[in-house]
Amino acid sequence: MKIVVLVKQVPDSGADRNLRSDDNTVDRASASNVINEMDEYAIEEALSLQEAHGGEVVVLTVGPDRATESIRKALSMGPDSAVHVVDDALHGSCAVATSKVLAAAIAQQQADLVICGAESTDGRVQVMPHMIAERLGIAALTGARKLTVEGSSVTIERQTDEGYEVVTASTPALVSVWDTINDPRYPSFKGIMAAKKKPLQTLSLGDLGIAASEVGFEGATSAVVEHSKRPPRQAGNKIDAGDDGGSKLVEYLASEKFV
């Protein structure tokens, strides 16, 4: 079984994140960049399946040159190899164009299973798994809190607000996971050293048969027109306790349409 895990390098959600003033895209150059947290759960799930069924785990990333740092971090957890799609023309790509690039790269791998995080912390659109599966013509089993593989059958427990749903499909298939599915392993020193020697294939848009005009700002179906910093938090309203404190509280809640 060959498993492709999608990994994205994102600005650390625990640090300040900014948009560039020149083109309103995420400022990745000045950010503290890390592996998208949800993707670490996808890596762990792929490795667990490999331990149970054998096969190969390949990490796939689309991003600038510096994304290599996150690729090596992902490889240090245990995957066998990685593919990095890097091209200057990709800057400014929307989710639709990015899904086209990812799907083309995945198609070259001829994977039995594709696993990814349910969302990225810098975009949070939660549509990438669906768009990639649609482009590849395979089943999308999204929002998994549990994943089971038996032969060519893939079953997940899809996490919902009310509980979970059981969804089954045949491979090839794409599965997106939430952080409730497992506990990602920490890279060992041996794994960190081994990651430096693992195969890393670099692909351009030309290698995928995609024209520069189909991605980037030129091929984008959406764009950020303007942005501004979140306003500072304002002081709250204070209601002094007293004979009419309860009435004032109800009046305030009513004015804010809470009651």
Side-chain angles (χ1 to χ4, degrees):
M1 179 170 61
K2 187 173 186 179
I3 305 173
V4 169
V5 184
L6 304 185
V7 173
K8 185 179 184 182
Q9 186 181 61
V10 297
D12 188 347
S13 59
D16 288 337
R17 293 174 290 178
N18 301 291
L19 297 182
R20 288 171 42 164
S21 58
D22 57 342
D23 59 14
N24 296 318
T25 61
V26 177
D27 185 359
R28 303 183 189 279
S30 62
S32 175
N33 296 303
V34 297
I35 294 177
N36 178 52
E37 180 184 359
M38 211 68 68
D39 297 343
E40 295 187 19
Y41 296 88
I43 296 170
E44 176 61 35
E45 198 63 21
L47 294 174
S48 297
L49 289 173
Q50 183 186 41
E51 291 167 356
H53 303 283
E56 178 185 5
V57 176
V58 180
V59 170
L60 174 58
T61 296
V62 173
D65 290 331
R66 56 185 169 273
T68 303
E69 302 168 1
S70 292
I71 293 173
R72 291 300 179 188
K73 169 67 183 302
L75 288 174
S76 70
M77 294 175 66
D80 302 292
S81 62
V83 176
H84 184 188
V85 181
V86 54
D87 198 301
D88 291 342
L90 286 165
H91 180 66
S93 296
C94 64
V96 176
T98 301
S99 72
K100 185 171 188 176
V101 176
L102 284 167
I106 293 168
Q108 288 191 358
Q109 294 299 310
Q110 297 182 329
D112 300 294
L113 189 62
V114 181
I115 306 179
C116 62
E119 66 177 9
S120 63
T121 56
D122 61 342
R124 295 193 181 281
V125 292
Q126 295 186 28
V127 297
M128 194 60 66
H130 304 275
M131 290 194 291
I132 293 172
E134 176 68 19
R135 289 186 181 276
L136 293 173
I138 62 177
L141 290 76
T142 56
R145 71 172 197 177
K146 183 179 180 181
L147 169 60
T148 305
V149 175
E150 295 182 0
S152 61
S153 178
V154 180
T155 301
I156 71 163
E157 290 183 2
R158 173 180 288 150
Q159 185 172 314
T160 69
D161 292 336
E162 294 78 25
Y164 68 92
E165 303 167 342
V166 177
V167 185
T168 300
S170 298
T171 57
L174 183 148
V175 176
S176 69
V177 302
W178 286 112
D179 55 2
T180 51
I181 196 167
N182 57 46
D183 294 311
R185 67 193 66 187
Y186 289 101
S188 63
F189 177 75
K190 181 179 179 180
I192 294 172
M193 298 305 294
K196 298 178 181 180
K197 300 180 180 180
K198 290 182 178 180
L200 170 54
Q201 180 185 17
T202 301
L203 299 175
S204 66
L205 289 174
D207 295 323
L208 300 176
I210 298 175
S213 60
E214 300 176 65
V215 298
F217 292 106
E218 185 177 355
T221 59
S222 61
V224 177
V225 177
E226 62 178 328
H227 71 276
S228 61
K229 282 285 189 181
R230 178 186 299 173
R233 182 173 295 180
Q234 302 295 319
N237 293 315
K238 183 178 180 180
I239 298 176
D240 294 325
D243 294 338
D244 60 348
S247 299
K248 290 181 178 179
L249 176 59
V250 173
E251 289 174 2
Y252 171 74
L253 293 175
S255 67
E256 297 294 323
K257 301 187 184 303
F258 289 122
V259 295

